[in-house]
């Protein structure tokens, strides 16, 4: 056995770690450098979180094993398309990566390398490996052939090196309109891998770039810029999602053709893993953009969206999202993760983080006829259930008039309804047992108030000789804090968005994904709550004080998740 540190480590948990360990053992690398390369053309979503956790996670793990080697993960903006990218997106991406719990030493941009990329392109031209093609876009597509049939050579393929250099330099100078020429690699128009059929390396785009301004009017394509950026930065393992599998051959071609000329510090390799897919939502940036721009949601951080900004505002914790990524693992086969798995992760995290309080979302007044008019009792209520090893409590005021939830009262209840109904008795959480003696109705027959009597002997103990099965939550009317509560549910009402035409998925939007309740009644202690404070509203779910819309005297709460999987139950699962 060798003395290599790789041997000291437990069995790798996935195939990427297995590859890295083998590379270290074989001495192919003495450090691990990964990168997370978002294009700044939208907000990050939970799928990106999987890539972030993997790439930054690897750097964190291996830098412990390989201290002082430069083991690292680069945050690199893959900013090669000036027409779609923006500084605003860069800022949101940085905020999201930090929020997830990862840091970087320095920010990289593909645009930092525009000059070197250009030199590499000229080198390929001089080596007879690239040419300026003047076919139009549709012609290029037609000449490419199909999966079943070979393509045919561009009539411009045999241009001389001199002519190619001249044209390419004039492209850079801005002499030509968008689309007039492109630079292509000269590989093989009959290659079974379509990506190898003389792929585009550069195109003309007269557009202002958010980093380089008007310095350039030609921009490198992803398949050219990405491998070179990796190689320049000394990336050892370039990890991307499975849809790039066919691009790997081109990645290798670019690096191999330029290795000697550009004197790259490492020979990076690309590895593909399965992307994270979630049901009941959409994940592609294109669709998210459509939802935002079409005002189907209230912005990129709308809590219905699977964007990290949306999940954060919804109340998800970074721990819960990292936990989901860890539990999903890194595999080579695509699959769809059930939203219930994410919901499990957040419930699991908040169970020991979110204090329990009482809130009435659909208030119904309850008057205790035999309770003294002006009396107020302060009752101690624990913030934590018995199975959470935490201490702490607050006092809740109890008085003659309280609110209970409409769902906890029925005029004509079915069997086994253990809440309140005419003539039945129920326990008020932390307080007394009450019996419903009468109801008040409006002209339309709706119950507007219920009347009860209380048993003064039932504070903290069971009533004599009777069994009271139900316990309900309540809030003292005179002490209640009024709030708006936003109930969020899944973005789509079907598991997978329709695969048809582009915008068809809009028809699958769940109309109940947002239900806004006003006039909700929160217990007094919540008067002190601050934006981003999380609570469990007893019997209802986990909620967060909204970071944007809450005002000190007009709080807004978002439902993070219900307590149990009420969705699965309502779907009869
Ligand atoms: P989308 O396809 O969702 O619009 P994208 O792939 O265009 O996103 P990029 O900014 O190119 O977004 O992605 C940055 C990195 O995140 C890439 O390495 C990409 O492979 C990875 N990534 C994107 N979506 C997912 C996903 N669902 N699961 C895992 N990794 C992902
Ligand atoms: Mg992409």
């Amino acid at each position: 056995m060798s003395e290599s540190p790789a041997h000291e480590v437990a069995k790798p948990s996935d195939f990427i770690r297995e590859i890295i360990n083998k590379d270290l053992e074989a001495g192919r690398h003495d450090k691990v450098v990964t990168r997370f390369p978002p294009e700044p053309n939208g907000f990050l979503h939970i799928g990106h979180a999987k890539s972030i956790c993997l790439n930054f996670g690897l750097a964190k793990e291996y830098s412990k094993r390989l201290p002082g080697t430069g083991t690292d993960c680069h945050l690199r903006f893959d900013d090669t398309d000036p027409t779609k990218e923006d500084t605003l997106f860069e800022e949101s991406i940085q905020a999201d990566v930090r929020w997830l719990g990862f840091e970087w030493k320095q920010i990289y941009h593909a645009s930092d390398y525009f000059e070197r990329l250009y030199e590499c392109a000229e080198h390929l031209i001089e080596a007879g490996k690239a040419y300026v093609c003047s076919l139009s876009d549709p012609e290029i597509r037609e000449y490419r052939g199909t999966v079943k049939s070979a393509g045919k050579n561009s009539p411009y393929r045999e241009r001389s090196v001199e002519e190619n250099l001249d044209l390419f330099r004039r492209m850079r100078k801005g002499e030509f309109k968008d689309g007039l020429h492109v630079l292509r690699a000269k590989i093989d128009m009959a290659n079974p891998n379509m990506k190898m059929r003389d792929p585009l390396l550069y195109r003309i785009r007269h557009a202002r770039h958010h980093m380089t301004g008007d310095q350039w009017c030609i921009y490198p394509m992803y398949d050219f810029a990405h491998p070179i950026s990796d190689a320049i930065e000394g990336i050892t393992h370039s990890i991307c999602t499975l849809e790039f599998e066919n691009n790997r051959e081109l990645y290798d071609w670019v690096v191999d053709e330029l290795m000697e000329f550009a004197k790259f510090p490492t020979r990076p390799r690309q590895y593909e893993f399965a992307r994270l897919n979630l049901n009941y939502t959409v994940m592609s940036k294109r669709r998210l953009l459509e939802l935002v721009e079409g005002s189907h949601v209230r912005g990129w951080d709308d809590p219905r969206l699977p964007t990290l900004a949306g999940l954060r505002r919804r109340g998800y914790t970074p721990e819960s999202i990292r936990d989901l990524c860890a539990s999903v693992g890194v595999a080579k086969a695509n699959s769809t993760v059930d939203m219930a798995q994410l919901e499990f992760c957040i419930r699991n995290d908040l169970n020991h983080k979110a204090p329990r309080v009482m809130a009435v979302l659909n208030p119904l007044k309850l008057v205790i006829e035999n309770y003294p008019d002006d009396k107020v009792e302060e009752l101690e209520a624990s913030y934590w259930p018995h199975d959470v090893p935490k201490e702490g409590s607050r006092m809740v005021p109890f008085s003659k008039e309280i609110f209970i939830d409409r769902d906890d009262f029925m005029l004509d209840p079915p069997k086994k309804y253990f809440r309140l109904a005419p003539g039945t008795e129920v326990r008020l959480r932390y307080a007394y047992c009450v019996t419903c003696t009468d109801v008040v109705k409006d002209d339309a027959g709706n119950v507007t108030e219920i009347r009860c009597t209380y048993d003064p002997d039932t504070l903290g103990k069971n009533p004599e000789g009777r069994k009271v099965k139900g316990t309900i939550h309540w809030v003292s009317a005179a002490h209640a804090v009024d709030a708006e509560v936003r109930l969020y549910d899944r973005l789509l009402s079907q598991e997978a968005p329709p695969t048809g035409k582009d915008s068809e998925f809009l028809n699958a939007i769940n109309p109940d994904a947002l239900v806004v309740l006003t006039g909700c009644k929160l217990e007094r202690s919540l008067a002190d709550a601050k934006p981003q404070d999380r609570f469990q509203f007893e019997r209802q779910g986990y909620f967060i004080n909204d970071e944007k819309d809450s005002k000190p005297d007009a709080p807004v709460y978002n439902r993070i998740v219900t307590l149990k999987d009420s969705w699965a139950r309502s779907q009869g699962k």
Side-chain angles (χ1 to χ4, degrees):
M1 277 229 309
S2 97
E3 302 279 6
S4 134
H7 284 278
E8 294 160 16
V9 172
K11 199 171 169 300
S13 49
D14 56 63
F15 76 97
I16 299 270
R17 286 165 171 88
E18 215 165 277
I19 289 168
I20 294 177
N21 288 352
K22 283 204 181 111
D23 285 346
L24 294 173
E25 280 169 44
R28 276 189 288 274
H29 298 292
D30 53 10
K31 61 179 173 179
V32 179
V33 186
T34 56
R35 85 286 169 272
F36 172 64
E39 184 179 357
N41 63 351
F43 276 54
L44 296 181
H45 52 62
I46 189 167
H48 292 113
K50 181 172 175 186
S51 179
I52 294 169
C53 288
L54 177 59
N55 282 297
F56 281 94
L58 286 170
K60 228 176 188 171
E61 252 171 77
Y62 282 92
S63 59
K64 278 188 207 129
R65 281 172 56 184
L66 307 163
T69 55
T71 290
D72 198 5
C73 175
H74 295 184
L75 174 61
R76 184 202 311 144
F77 289 110
D78 196 351
D79 53 348
T80 54
D81 184 354
T83 61
K84 294 192 187 128
E85 296 156 6
D86 196 353
T87 311
L88 228 108
F89 292 131
E90 287 201 11
E91 284 161 7
S92 77
I93 290 169
Q94 291 177 53
D96 288 346
V97 175
R98 278 213 178 91
W99 176 74
L100 258 190
F102 299 103
E103 258 310 324
W104 53 89
K105 294 196 187 79
Q106 162 190 351
I107 291 192
Y108 298 81
H109 286 90
S111 58
D112 294 342
Y113 315 127
F114 278 175
E115 194 61 48
R116 289 193 68 185
L117 289 160
Y118 179 84
E119 287 164 15
C120 288
E122 282 209 352
H123 171 77
L124 290 181
I125 294 173
E126 280 164 358
K129 304 276 178 158
Y131 63 98
V132 173
C133 180
S134 310
L135 291 175
S136 66
D137 275 352
E139 286 167 334
I140 289 177
R141 233 171 289 135
E142 189 201 317
Y143 274 67
R144 190 171 288 134
T146 66
V147 196
K148 289 196 189 115
S149 64
K152 55 183 181 183
N153 287 351
S154 161
Y156 304 99
R157 203 172 196 262
E158 299 311 325
R159 273 176 169 154
S160 68
V161 168
E162 291 68 34
E163 191 184 359
N164 281 322
L165 266 184
D166 175 60
L167 283 171
F168 190 50
R169 285 174 184 163
R170 288 165 59 198
M171 279 167 67
R172 177 181 183 168
K173 277 196 200 134
E175 289 186 23
F176 308 116
K177 285 208 297 269
D178 286 10
L180 209 56
H181 305 291
V182 292
L183 184 74
R184 299 177 71 171
K186 195 172 181 176
I187 306 179
D188 174 13
M189 289 306 290
N191 197 301
N193 181 353
M194 304 268 293
K195 298 273 177 199
M196 299 298 279
R197 296 186 185 173
D198 292 10
L200 270 57
L201 304 181
Y202 266 90
R203 59 185 172 179
I204 303 171
R205 277 277 183 285
H206 290 273
R208 193 181 168 74
H209 187 284
H210 71 281
M211 294 299 290
T212 57
D214 294 317
Q215 215 179 318
W216 294 89
C217 62
I218 54 172
Y219 290 95
M221 304 299 289
Y222 169 87
D223 282 319
F224 186 62
H226 201 78
I228 298 177
S229 304
D230 281 350
I232 289 174
E233 289 175 16
I235 301 299
T236 56
H237 299 81
S238 179
I239 303 165
C240 62
T241 36
L242 280 175
E243 68 271 21
F244 292 99
E245 207 167 355
N246 288 335
N247 302 58
R248 192 195 327 131
E249 199 178 345
L250 179 52
Y251 184 104
D252 287 336
W253 184 90
V254 170
V255 179
D256 288 338
E257 289 298 334
L258 293 165
M259 197 72 207
E260 206 174 306
F261 166 76
K263 302 195 171 52
F264 297 133
T266 54
R267 170 62 171 88
R269 300 262 165 207
Q270 175 184 303
Y271 302 96
E272 307 90 25
F273 72 102
R275 60 195 289 122
L276 174 67
N277 296 307
L278 270 183
N279 59 9
Y280 296 105
T281 192
V282 292
M283 209 94 102
S284 94
K285 276 194 267 193
R286 195 172 42 76
R287 283 177 164 173
L288 294 171
L289 189 70
E290 195 171 341
L291 287 170
V292 173
E293 290 193 331
S295 298
H296 301 285
V297 293
R298 302 174 175 179
W300 284 102
D301 65 351
D302 188 295
R304 283 167 286 187
L305 295 182
T307 52
L308 293 179
L311 289 164
R312 174 171 61 231
R313 190 160 169 208
R314 170 87 167 254
Y316 273 82
T317 59
E319 290 85 351
S320 66
I321 291 173
R322 292 200 304 260
D323 187 26
L324 177 81
C325 294
S327 67
V328 167
V330 181
K332 268 194 259 197
N334 275 323
S335 64
T336 300
V337 172
D338 195 329
M339 190 63 95
Q341 200 173 334
L342 175 63
E343 291 166 354
F344 171 85
C345 292
I346 185 65
R347 284 191 198 105
N348 196 36
D349 191 34
L350 292 183
N351 180 41
H352 65 276
K353 284 184 181 162
R356 276 53 169 178
V357 294
M358 293 195 285
V360 171
L361 301 189
N362 289 305
L364 175 60
K365 184 166 276 181
L366 184 157
V367 180
I368 305 166
E369 293 185 314
N370 61 339
Y371 196 85
D373 283 354
D374 298 322
K375 185 171 172 180
V376 177
E377 280 179 90
E378 293 287 338
L379 306 175
E380 185 170 3
S382 172
Y383 275 129
W384 306 102
H386 296 297
D387 56 356
V388 174
K390 277 190 158 175
E391 299 202 352
S393 63
R394 77 286 182 192
M395 303 308 284
V396 290
F398 184 78
S399 63
K400 186 181 179 79
E401 295 196 355
I402 63 174
F403 291 110
I404 65 167
D405 251 303
R406 270 186 188 274
D407 287 353
D408 285 333
F409 176 81
M410 268 182 115
L411 263 183
D412 191 12
K415 276 207 174 106
K416 300 212 172 159
Y417 183 79
F418 298 125
R419 303 173 218 176
L420 209 54
T424 71
E425 187 175 24
V426 80
R427 172 167 294 283
L428 297 173
R429 183 92 159 124
Y430 304 114
Y432 301 95
C433 293
V434 291
T435 303
C436 175
T437 51
D438 200 3
V439 298
V440 181
K441 292 182 195 170
D442 64 12
D443 293 342
N446 302 309
V447 176
T448 53
E449 190 177 298
I450 48 184
R451 301 256 155 185
C452 289
T453 55
Y454 86 118
D455 179 347
D457 278 340
T458 54
L459 186 63
K461 57 179 192 229
N462 287 323
E464 290 256 343
R466 326 188 282 280
K467 258 224 167 85
V468 176
K469 279 203 173 152
T471 298
I472 64 174
H473 59 275
W474 55 274
V475 168
S476 167
H479 305 87
V481 176
D482 273 15
E484 175 179 323
V485 175
R486 299 174 181 168
L487 303 179
Y488 289 102
D489 206 336
R490 292 159 188 202
L491 177 67
L492 300 186
S493 45
Q494 54 196 70
E495 274 206 56
T499 47
K501 276 218 304 293
D502 265 10
S503 301
E504 219 178 292
F505 78 97
L506 296 173
N507 300 330
I509 293 179
N510 174 10
D512 299 325
L514 169 60
V515 174
V516 179
L517 303 175
T518 52
C520 303
K521 305 288 181 182
L522 315 182
E523 67 165 69
R524 181 188 60 193
S525 72
L526 288 178
D528 301 327
K530 287 182 273 313
Q532 299 188 344
D533 282 350
R534 295 183 183 85
F535 301 94
Q536 183 190 109
F537 291 173
E538 288 206 36
R539 300 174 65 224
Q540 316 202 65
Y542 291 100
F543 292 78
I544 187 167
N545 190 310
D546 188 70
E547 65 186 47
K548 263 196 183 164
D549 293 342
S550 265
K551 306 262 164 6
D553 51 351
V556 175
Y557 281 83
N558 300 321
R559 183 171 70 195
I560 308 168
V561 67
T562 56
L563 283 187
K564 287 207 202 85
D565 195 350
S566 59
W567 175 270
R569 274 182 296 162
S570 76
Q571 301 290 297
K573 282 186 193 162

